[in-house]
Amino acid sequence: MLGDDTFQLGEFRLMRGLLESSRDLDAQRRDLEQAAREFGGTSPEARRLRQALQSVDGPTEQVEMVLEYRRLMARQRALEMFQAEQAAATTEAAAGASDRLAPGGSFLLDLPPDTPAVWGDGDQVLWAEGESLVLAGTPGVGKTTLAGQVVAARLDGGTVLGLTVRPTSSRVLYLAMDRPQQIARALARTLGSFSREVLDERLVFWPGPPLADMAAQPETLLALARQAAADTVVVDSVKDAALGLSSDEVGAGYNRARQMCIAAGVEVLELHHTIKKNANGGAPKALADLYGSTWITAGAGSVVLLEGTAGDPVVGMHHLKQPAETVGPYRLLHDHTAGLTTVYHETDLVALALAAGTDGLTAKSAAANVEDTAKPTDAQTQRARRRLDKLVTAGRLTFREGSKGGSRGGQPAVWLHPSHDAEGDYGGDYAP
């Protein structure tokens, strides 16, 4: 590191070269070259300065050399100060890292039987503790309306879409960056029943753009949460938190901001947009259809997609990425006047099995109804199979093994309503 003495010596020699006008130019040039060597050695800046000195032919150009030297000196000192600060911050962070180190046994073997949930029950979890939730969709499909209900339950307890939201005794920070006044009107319908005192004490808003780009300066998100004394942050929306989301560098930077919050015990709910049409020209329905870098969804614990047209009272809900079992799909009904969202339609597998009679319900048929598609994928079929198996465990359906092909052909495995199971003891009075 260059000390003050070096800078002062170099500047002295430069100035002396100007003042001693009686000396020949060669002597002055040598002084300037010596100063350049003492300043930067083999650095590109020092080499350029020495090359420039070869063409010095008068006091005017010597003055320019002094000014250039001063700029280089300031740049070098600023760089050294920055490096010193970074080293100190790294040392401080390393000193506190022991708090996050966990023994392997505790980390792997002391897990609770169910996924700890901010929003969810049992294995039906939309927002897992210590993992971010992304609510995605095109503009106007009710992301803010749904998020507002989750915030209300986070403040005072309750359920949203039939699933429990764990309340917090701390504060919620809402980053209203995407059209703040529109967000305020939407949330007033949901949160307007709270008293002013409760809202002032428990809920904090940040309207408009963030202090800094959160991908370029990931510490910004956590700093805002700490400034608000909040243990929950709602980012509305991700596109306003960081610029250039299609870049993986930006996506990774934003993910770092999210993970810094989670590591500090701050829960994160993010509202995000989809592309207008997927690669096949259809409506967005997959993780790849969310706008921006893959790191935005890769770093999230759960991703929920709302599908519909702006202003529609009924929209689809698809759980694209799950911390536990898949929730839904649902058709949701938005009451925009009351700021309330309810499950309008959910495929009832017990009712489907009842309608299937003694032929039973196959996993593929169940998946086609649940996913609203004529050709369910293998993954969709397996998800339907798990749901059917759980209904068997609960005693609401029975299972009949399939058989392989022969002279009479094979039979698929089916699930039956107990009233249609010939081997069952349920009789005709079974109530689903």
Side-chain angles (χ1 to χ4, degrees):
M1 179 180 294
L2 298 174
D4 287 340
D5 290 344
T6 302
F7 290 119
Q8 291 170 2
L9 176 61
E11 186 169 0
F12 168 76
R13 284 181 171 163
L14 285 170
M15 295 306 296
R16 188 181 65 183
L18 293 177
L19 294 174
E20 296 180 356
S21 58
S22 61
R23 299 181 63 202
D24 61 77
L25 289 177
D26 288 339
Q28 295 177 40
R29 187 181 293 112
R30 284 195 297 272
D31 280 338
L32 293 169
E33 290 175 348
Q34 177 62 24
R37 282 192 294 273
E38 291 174 353
F39 167 75
T42 60
S43 70
E45 292 85 355
R47 285 199 300 271
R48 285 196 295 271
L49 181 56
R50 288 198 294 272
Q51 290 170 1
L53 286 170
Q54 300 302 317
S55 63
V56 170
D57 58 6
T60 299
E61 291 193 35
Q62 290 181 26
V63 170
E64 292 176 356
M65 292 301 103
V66 171
L67 295 176
E68 177 67 12
Y69 178 83
R70 288 177 179 273
R71 285 192 291 269
L72 292 173
M73 182 176 67
R75 177 180 174 183
Q76 182 71 18
R77 297 185 75 171
L79 176 61
E80 291 175 355
M81 290 175 62
F82 174 76
Q83 291 173 337
E85 290 173 358
Q86 290 292 99
T90 301
T91 300
E92 183 179 353
S98 59
D99 295 339
R100 286 172 56 187
L101 296 174
S106 300
F107 187 76
L108 299 174
L109 304 179
D110 294 343
L111 296 172
D114 292 321
T115 303
V118 177
W119 181 15
D121 296 296
D123 59 4
Q124 299 286 290
V125 177
L126 286 172
W127 186 3
E129 183 180 309
E131 302 177 26
S132 75
L133 164 63
V134 173
L135 286 180
T138 54
V141 293
K143 298 185 295 295
T144 298
T145 297
L146 184 56
Q149 294 164 74
V150 176
V151 169
R154 190 79 168 130
L155 295 179
D156 198 37
T159 63
V160 179
L161 305 183
L163 296 173
T164 303
V165 177
R166 178 170 57 84
T168 176
S169 58
S170 183
R171 285 179 167 182
V172 174
L173 170 63
Y174 199 111
L175 303 181
M177 299 180 290
D178 184 4
R179 296 160 293 170
Q181 294 307 310
Q182 187 171 325
I183 290 173
R185 290 192 294 271
L187 295 183
R189 294 189 284 268
T190 304
L191 300 165
S193 61
F194 287 90
S195 69
R196 178 180 291 272
E197 290 74 21
V198 169
L199 292 174
D200 286 345
E201 178 63 27
R202 304 287 309 288
L203 184 60
V204 182
F205 283 90
W206 176 276
L211 284 170
D213 188 296
M214 293 182 185
Q217 299 185 37
E219 65 278 2
T220 302
L221 185 58
L222 179 57
L224 284 171
R226 285 175 169 167
Q227 182 68 28
D231 72 348
T232 306
V233 174
V234 182
V235 179
D236 189 354
S237 64
V238 175
K239 71 175 179 59
D240 302 281
L243 301 178
L245 289 175
S246 58
S247 161
D248 280 345
E249 181 179 359
V250 174
Y254 176 76
N255 183 51
R256 173 63 64 87
R258 160 203 285 161
Q259 301 302 336
M260 289 176 71
C261 280
I262 289 170
V266 177
E267 306 293 352
V268 181
L269 168 59
E270 299 152 309
L271 279 60
H272 191 36
H273 292 85
T274 60
I275 57 178
K276 293 181 179 180
K277 294 183 179 181
N278 62 24
N280 298 320
K285 286 191 175 181
L287 284 176
D289 298 331
L290 271 66
Y291 178 76
S293 166
T294 187
W295 295 113
I296 297 171
T297 54
S302 179
V303 178
V304 172
L305 173 68
L306 300 184
E307 178 191 7
T309 303
D312 278 355
V314 178
V315 299
M317 190 198 94
H318 303 273
H319 199 184
L320 302 183
K321 187 177 182 182
Q322 312 84 22
E325 288 295 323
T326 302
V327 178
Y330 294 148
R331 301 294 290 173
L332 303 181
L333 175 62
H334 288 311
D335 182 342
H336 292 290
T337 302
L340 180 65
T341 303
T342 54
V343 177
Y344 176 72
H345 174 74
E346 176 185 10
T347 301
D348 188 338
L349 294 180
V350 175
L352 284 176
L354 179 62
T358 56
D359 290 337
L361 179 67
T362 66
K364 189 170 185 177
S365 178
N369 281 273
V370 169
E371 304 291 344
D372 191 23
T373 177
K375 296 181 179 180
T377 65
D378 289 343
Q380 291 170 335
T381 301
Q382 288 303 317
R383 285 200 295 268
R385 183 184 297 275
R386 289 197 297 270
R387 290 180 62 177
L388 290 165
D389 287 342
K390 287 184 178 182
L391 290 170
V392 172
T393 301
R396 302 188 66 194
L397 293 180
T398 62
F399 176 66
R400 186 168 68 206
E401 289 278 4
S403 61
K404 295 183 177 180
S407 59
R408 299 178 59 187
Q411 295 293 322
V414 294
W415 286 257
L416 300 103
H417 190 275
S419 63
H420 294 314
D421 186 355
E423 298 177 3
D425 250 349
Y426 300 95
D429 297 329
Y430 177 83

